[in-house]
Amino acid sequence: QVQLVESGGGLVQAGGSLRLSCAASGRTFSSYAMGWFRQAPGKERENVAKISRSGGTTYTADSVKGRFTITRDNAKNTLFLQMSSLRPEDTAVYYCAARISAGSASLPSEYNIWGQGTQVTISS
């Protein structure tokens, strides 16, 4: 099965941008639908964006719509999350996740494989 490693997190000021990457190794990356989740201290893990196997269908949560963009490069086995106009409330650990089953899914329990997470901190 695929293994996932996130990178690109860090500390930025409000209004800034970050680009998260999720490198996949192992089984064919294009076999998996992918998602980005985040979890802030004391809060549940939430889906912020997801993308189909081909990359042709994407979804972003209302809380990040217009600010975050999910893309993937199947040739390079990499998932991306471009984040702009960042706010202090975007502070969280961000995880990429893979799902082998067909269909759209937003619940963490519907994803089979997870990365270790990358911390994103937005200062005001």
Side-chain angles (χ1 to χ4, degrees), residues 2-85:
V2 70
Q3 292 83 41
L4 305 174
V5 178
E6 301 97 334
S7 61
L11 171 64
V12 299
Q13 290 187 330
S17 299
L18 281 174
R19 188 192 197 199
L20 304 184
S21 298
C22 173
S25 61
R27 190 174 169 179
T28 306
F29 177 62
S30 59
S31 299
Y32 294 84
M34 300 295 296
W36 283 102
F37 290 76
R38 67 184 181 187
Q39 188 165 22
K43 295 188 176 181
E44 293 186 352
R45 192 168 297 190
E46 64 169 338
N47 179 227
V48 295
K50 55 189 177 183
I51 189 167
S52 62
R53 294 168 181 169
S54 68
T57 301
T58 62
Y59 158 88
T60 49
D62 288 343
S63 58
V64 304
K65 196 175 296 292
R67 300 188 299 120
F68 290 14
T69 302
I70 185 171
T71 57
R72 67 189 296 164
D73 185 338
N74 285 344
K76 296 183 177 180
N77 289 356
T78 306
L79 176 74
F80 302 99
L81 185 68
Q82 179 68 48
M83 307 186 294
S84 60
S85 302

